[in-house]
Amino acid sequence: MRIAIVVARFNDFITERLLEGAKAALAEAGVTEDEVELLRVPGAFEIPMAAQRVAETGRVSAVVCLGCLIRGATPHFEYIASACAQGIIAASSMTGVPMSFGVLTTNSAEEALERAAPGPANKGREAAEAAIEMATLFARVGDGRS
Ligand code: INI
């Protein structure tokens, strides 16, 4: 099973931890490193574009989307969070490839760190597990054309 991970560089002190959690979950599920396609993008806003592009290649069974938005001085927060979530859903609907949402939207860096800590609460791990489950489900359901 080939899986893509799209990870934002913005707030990389968090997103790299989400990436570690996602990679660990994929490895535990038997997905080898060769079967993981990693795409880095500038920020959460760009995640849906890259997710859609890699899904359109037909190479991957699911896309894990990882990012981190920390509410603060930026008025961008709501716009980017909304564009990211809606964009991922739209990209998944348009391509038929499941995409999971491992994008943190928190009030503080502390909250983000809690959700990016190693272990079962890591949201990158959770997103990877959801992606595998959905890819497995879709493989079982089929596309109705065979
Ligand atoms: N991108 C993030 O991933 N997280 C943020 O918290 C954030 N803030 O705060 O602005 C952010 N902005 C960058 C944005 O995602 C785009 O990369 C940028 O606007 C260029 O299109």
Side-chain angles (χ1 to χ4, degrees):
M1 177 187 294
R2 280 189 73 79
I3 303 282
I5 302 176
V6 178
V7 59
R9 283 195 303 275
F10 205 103
N11 290 326
D12 64 357
F13 71 105
I14 297 292
T15 61
E16 287 302 313
R17 296 174 196 216
L18 298 176
L19 178 59
E20 287 313 307
K23 282 179 173 174
L26 294 179
E28 285 165 28
V31 180
T32 66
E33 279 185 30
D34 287 348
E35 291 170 325
V36 178
E37 201 162 327
L38 180 62
L39 290 85
R40 293 184 189 276
V41 296
F45 188 76
E46 285 77 25
I47 290 173
M49 307 172 206
Q52 180 164 340
R53 182 60 65 95
V54 72
E56 283 170 350
T57 67
R59 285 197 298 266
V60 296
S61 302
V63 184
V64 181
C65 298
L66 305 176
C68 176
L69 287 140
I70 300 174
R71 193 192 302 272
T74 171
H76 275 90
F77 181 94
E78 307 290 350
Y79 295 112
I80 298 172
S82 167
C84 180
Q86 298 299 326
I88 290 170
I89 283 291
S92 182
S93 299
M94 289 188 29
T95 59
V97 174
M99 297 179 186
S100 61
F101 190 71
V103 181
L104 300 183
T105 54
T106 64
N107 290 311
S108 65
E110 290 69 29
E111 276 181 23
L113 281 165
E114 276 171 27
R115 291 161 175 74
N122 182 291
K123 294 295 173 185
R125 165 179 284 278
E126 197 176 274
E129 289 169 351
I132 293 166
E133 185 176 339
M134 291 301 291
T136 305
L137 177 69
F138 279 21
R140 184 158 54 79
V141 171
D143 61 12
R145 280 174 265 170
S146 52

